[in-house]
Amino acid sequence: MNTRGGLISTPERSWRRRRLDPDHSLGLRLTLAATAAFLVLVPFALLALLVLGAWSPLSRLDAVITDALHGYALDHPAWVRLTEVWTHVFGPGPLRVAAAGVVVWLLWRGAPRLALWVVTTMTVGGLLGALLKLLVGRHRPDLLDPVARAAGYSFPSGHALNATLAAGVLLLVFLPFARHSRPLRGVLWTAAVLIALLTGLSRIALGVHWTSDVVGGWLLGVAVVAATAAAFSTWRTRVGRRPARTAREGVEPELAEPGPDDRHA
């Protein structure tokens, strides 16, 4: 401690200690969320560089997986029809409609900031995906006997990206209703993972995306959700709310509380 004119002052805590202080507005949970987003962006950036550089081991791996799945698809028409149904039901359009429905419901519940978070996450992720497709300019697989067709560039996969965004958003919105039930939390997490995973795999199975396109979409989607969730956590702590245990309670635990909701005004 320092003394000045008979007064005792306490030295300001270091930036590192403040960042790791769970009670600080930019404390431990926010730091971990921001770090998680950064750590996901690193492999995405590396993957994008390998795609841009047409790294031969990655290109060969993509080609081997695509050829194997395409051969299976040609021999199993029923599998192709099932995959097409899945990829359409969980395509970007229907998932955006579902997210819009959640936004309307959140506004009705009196949670405009949470509704804004949903809109921001879906919009930012979608725009980033479209911009990266143009910047990378990767062409889709060119198969002699395709079982499906898709327009536009290939990296990252828009279906994988938007499925990850929507699954992450819906998971973090509805987790508060399962915070006291481990089985229900397990169901929500399993559903979110399966939607993102199977939607991405459906694009590879139909031969309209390379495997690395889908992995890139998954990584970018996770990074965007983590980054916007961290930003939402910043707002929560700055207005005096307790830090949320995001993986268990979602981004807004108070959403599940009964009674009139004037918390979001």
Side-chain angles (χ1 to χ4, degrees):
M1 293 187 294
N2 299 323
T3 59
R4 291 183 181 178
L7 297 177
I8 299 176
S9 62
T10 302
E12 185 179 354
R13 289 178 297 175
S14 68
W15 179 87
R16 182 182 66 84
R17 289 190 63 184
R18 285 185 286 113
R19 291 294 295 180
L20 298 179
D21 180 4
D23 297 325
H24 195 269
S25 64
L26 292 177
L28 180 59
R29 296 183 189 279
L30 175 58
T31 301
L32 292 177
T35 302
F38 174 77
L39 291 178
V40 175
L41 279 175
V42 169
F44 173 81
L46 291 176
L47 181 61
L49 289 175
L50 293 177
V51 169
L52 278 169
W55 191 48
S56 55
L58 179 62
S59 298
R60 287 196 299 269
L61 178 61
D62 277 336
V64 167
I65 296 174
T66 293
D67 290 343
L69 289 176
H70 182 59
Y72 183 86
L74 290 175
D75 294 334
H76 298 83
W79 163 256
V80 174
R81 289 193 293 271
L82 177 62
T83 306
E84 287 179 331
V85 169
W86 182 279
T87 201
H88 288 311
V89 170
F90 293 98
L95 290 176
R96 288 168 184 158
V97 170
V102 170
V103 168
V104 172
W105 175 73
L106 288 172
L107 292 174
W108 175 77
R109 291 269 306 186
R113 290 184 182 271
L114 189 55
L116 179 61
W117 173 74
V118 173
V119 172
T120 300
T121 303
M122 296 297 296
T123 302
V124 169
L127 291 176
L128 276 176
L131 177 61
L132 286 166
K133 279 180 180 286
L134 294 175
L135 292 176
V136 175
R138 189 188 203 187
H139 293 290
R140 296 177 184 269
D142 186 13
L143 303 172
L144 291 177
D145 189 13
V147 297
R149 297 186 182 276
Y153 290 121
S154 188
F155 183 91
S157 165
H159 276 69
L161 169 60
N162 283 279
T164 304
L165 292 171
V169 160
L170 296 178
L171 173 69
L172 296 183
V173 166
F174 290 108
L175 269 178
F177 298 94
R179 58 180 171 174
H180 300 305
S181 172
R182 180 175 296 180
L184 186 53
R185 286 200 306 274
V187 169
L188 291 177
W189 272 99
T190 300
V193 171
L194 285 178
I195 288 173
L197 183 66
L198 295 180
T199 302
L201 292 177
S202 72
R203 306 304 285 169
I204 307 171
L206 290 173
V208 294
H209 273 294
W210 305 107
T211 301
S212 52
D213 299 335
V214 169
V215 173
W218 287 333
L219 290 173
L220 183 59
V222 170
V224 170
V225 172
T228 59
F232 193 84
S233 296
T234 305
W235 168 78
R236 282 182 56 84
T237 53
R238 283 179 176 170
V239 298
R241 298 185 189 175
R242 68 171 180 83
R245 294 171 293 180
T246 307
R248 179 176 179 175
E249 303 177 303
V251 290
E252 187 76 305
E254 297 85 354
L255 185 66
E257 294 181 0
D261 191 355
D262 57 357
R263 299 178 304 274
H264 308 278

